[in-house]
Amino acid sequence: MESLIENFYQANDVKESLNIADSIIAEAHGLEQIYPLLRAYKPKAFPISKHFYKKASKRNDGLSYLYAIEIPENYDAKKNYPVVFLLHGGVRRQKWKMSQTWWPRDVSNGLDDYIKIYPTGWHKSLWWSPQQVDNILEILAEVKRSYNVDTSRVYLSGLSDGASGSYFIASRLPDLFAAVAPVIGSPSVLADKKNGISEETYPVNLTNTPFLSISADKDTLYKPKDVEPYIRYFQHIGVNIQFVVTSGYHNFKPFKNELNRILEFFSKNIRQTTEKHLVLQVDESFNRKRSGWVVVNSLSQKEKGSPVKGLLESKKKSGLIEVRAENNDIYTYTKGIGSFTLLFSKEQFNFDKPVRIFHNDHLIVSRNLTPDIKTLLNWAAKDKDPQRLFVAQMEFKVSS
């Protein structure tokens, strides 16, 4: 069974994992045997020949993406390691070459205990594009197949354009990062079509993730006084965001100067697998309509416009869902949503007692949950995350 679990997690895509899941179900003595094996999984220890290397891979959009990975010098296959994505600036330049340095490694000295990932963006694939969201997920999936990753400690940071893009990526992946630290960037970039952005950034999605936003007092490109109104707006709608103005110009020095603050911020924030409050706004362009244990399946055909304004303030139809969990009571509120699914984990809900679900203040469900091995393996195949396992689900259609 252990070899099947290994193959399940090592599979290159969801379809391959689901094929292996059929074999697991055939051989398993029920869910209670499989669950602890999935939970305890660690990839096999591979000998590490290089602690820093660059790779190129072709994504589904037909473009070839460069990225670099840096593994701690003292890497121990028995430990789980945090991961940090570092997004470079100057994203609108021509495509990078393998020989180029898009993020000087000495800038991130101090992040020695992290697996550091350096993706690339360029004029054909900006940080604020859906294909970069896919790129982040695919790189992380590859790293998880090879190294012991603490999936509760995946972080995102960036400089200049990378910092601006981190707001977009975090809004599209509101359940991935334990914390985000943009440095000398500005959300204003995401509010101007002249910057090549065509997709909406919904700030309400940032309420699921802590932020540390750092500006430089002598930055003439993104002046702190111009960034601060966005920070105040984010705080107003419930985003947990700190705003720090450090000394310096628009270069790498503010990142280096504030690295200890960033490290302390990361260390204090660990992604929870039992989120009690989630908010998610999506439109049809979202390639992943999910936050934690909430999945949007469809938008309402009758609702028009946007429930909450985004940065770009486009006229795209969108939907909003908010959920709160209080023990086994779940309160859901929707606008513009046609249907959604709730996922249930053993860590968050008591399967020995009924779950009560209220939608827009009306009780719609009151019954016990039944753990199901197919549900467990289906979501485990999608998440490949031993720390986030769901054993039951319920789908709801929103009545008009």
Side-chain angles (χ1 to χ4, degrees):
M1 183 59 68
E2 284 80 3
S3 62
L4 283 174
I5 298 294
E6 174 74 21
N7 293 338
F8 175 85
Y9 273 114
Q10 287 290 321
N12 292 317
D13 54 40
V14 174
K15 185 178 179 181
E16 185 179 340
S17 288
L18 290 176
N19 288 337
I20 298 167
D22 292 336
S23 300
I24 292 174
I25 292 172
E27 290 193 21
H29 299 294
L31 182 143
E32 295 305 321
Q33 179 198 8
I34 298 304
Y35 188 90
L37 294 176
L38 290 173
R39 189 80 172 170
Y41 171 78
K42 293 181 184 294
K44 289 181 179 178
F46 296 102
I48 298 178
S49 57
K50 291 191 295 184
H51 288 268
F52 179 84
Y53 55 95
K54 294 180 179 180
K55 298 190 71 174
S57 64
K58 203 163 190 177
R59 304 300 185 201
N60 292 333
D61 56 13
L63 299 174
S64 180
Y65 288 76
L66 291 181
Y67 60 100
I69 299 173
E70 189 169 4
I71 308 302
E73 290 289 340
N74 60 349
Y75 177 80
D76 181 352
K78 296 179 181 179
K79 292 173 54 179
N80 286 344
Y81 286 82
V83 169
V84 59
F85 283 88
L86 297 164
L87 309 185
H88 63 74
V91 76
R92 282 161 282 196
R93 68 184 68 198
Q94 296 295 311
K95 187 170 174 61
W96 298 87
K97 297 178 181 179
M98 192 73 81
S99 59
Q100 289 178 283
T101 299
W102 51 87
W103 183 291
R105 289 170 63 191
D106 67 297
V107 172
S108 49
N109 284 345
L111 289 162
D112 303 328
D113 293 329
Y114 288 71
I115 295 174
K116 297 187 279 287
I117 301 176
Y118 308 92
T120 58
W122 69 104
H123 69 293
K124 287 189 177 180
S125 189
L126 304 168
W127 293 130
W128 37 89
S129 62
Q131 59 262 36
Q132 281 291 355
V133 176
D134 287 340
N135 186 34
I136 295 290
L137 288 173
E138 290 178 30
I139 294 174
L140 181 60
E142 179 190 325
V143 171
K144 284 159 62 177
R145 284 193 290 268
S146 302
Y147 305 103
N148 282 344
V149 170
D150 184 344
T151 52
S152 67
R153 294 189 296 160
V154 177
Y155 301 96
L156 175 64
S157 186
L159 196 86
S160 189
D161 277 346
S164 303
S166 69
Y167 292 101
F168 177 84
I169 289 173
S171 78
R172 293 287 172 128
L173 299 172
D175 61 349
L176 180 62
F177 303 108
V180 181
V183 181
I184 62 167
S186 175
S188 63
V189 173
L190 309 177
D192 191 342
K193 290 184 178 180
K194 288 186 291 187
N195 294 318
I197 185 164
S198 59
E199 301 295 332
E200 186 57 88
T201 303
Y202 297 112
V204 72
N205 290 345
L206 304 180
T207 58
N208 301 309
T209 308
F211 273 75
L212 171 64
S213 180
I214 298 173
S215 288
D217 60 356
K218 299 179 183 64
D219 188 343
T220 57
L221 184 59
Y222 301 124
K223 299 176 182 178
K225 69 180 182 65
D226 296 330
V227 176
E228 190 173 10
Y230 288 94
I231 304 300
R232 289 202 303 267
Y233 172 67
F234 292 166
Q235 292 171 338
H236 173 72
I237 64 173
V239 180
N240 177 8
I241 185 167
Q242 304 173 44
F243 185 49
V244 172
V245 179
T246 190
S247 61
Y249 297 86
H250 194 84
N251 53 34
F252 280 102
K253 286 188 177 180
F255 186 95
K256 295 177 72 172
N257 293 342
E258 294 297 328
L259 184 55
N260 286 338
R261 190 194 300 268
I262 293 171
L263 284 168
E264 182 181 5
F265 175 66
F266 285 171
S267 69
K268 289 181 177 178
N269 288 287
I270 298 174
R271 189 199 69 185
Q272 302 300 309
T273 56
T274 56
E275 307 100 327
K276 294 182 178 180
H277 179 220
L278 293 171
V279 182
L280 179 63
Q281 184 173 2
V282 300
D283 58 47
E284 290 295 359
S285 72
F286 274 56
N287 41 9
R288 187 176 180 274
K289 300 181 179 68
R290 179 181 171 191
S291 182
W293 50 282
V294 175
V295 183
V296 172
N297 303 321
S298 66
L299 301 180
S300 168
Q301 297 300 313
K302 295 187 177 181
E303 294 286 347
K304 294 183 179 180
S306 174
V308 179
K309 283 187 177 181
L311 291 183
L312 196 62
E313 296 189 12
S314 70
K315 295 182 180 179
K316 287 184 178 180
K317 181 179 71 174
S318 70
L320 180 73
I321 182 168
E322 179 178 5
V323 299
R324 294 182 184 274
E326 298 177 8
N327 298 317
N328 268 30
D329 288 347
I330 301 171
Y331 301 88
T332 67
Y333 303 90
T334 64
K335 184 173 177 59
I337 300 293
S339 63
F340 63 94
T341 297
L342 300 181
L343 309 176
F344 301 90
S345 68
K346 289 183 173 184
E347 289 71 31
Q348 184 158 5
F349 298 99
N350 186 345
F351 281 61
D352 295 326
K353 296 182 178 180
V355 168
R356 297 195 306 167
I357 300 174
F358 300 82
H359 179 62
N360 292 349
D361 296 323
H362 298 286
L363 179 65
I364 57 174
V365 168
S366 179
R367 66 178 175 85
N368 283 66
L369 296 166
T370 302
D372 176 66
I373 191 171
K374 288 187 177 180
T375 299
L376 169 64
L377 290 168
N378 178 56
W379 289 101
K382 295 174 182 177
D383 292 343
K384 303 290 180 63
D385 185 347
Q387 297 184 42
R388 175 174 271 169
L389 299 174
F390 300 101
V391 296
Q393 67 179 55
M394 289 188 195
E395 182 175 345
F396 301 90
K397 290 184 178 181
V398 179
S399 58
S400 57

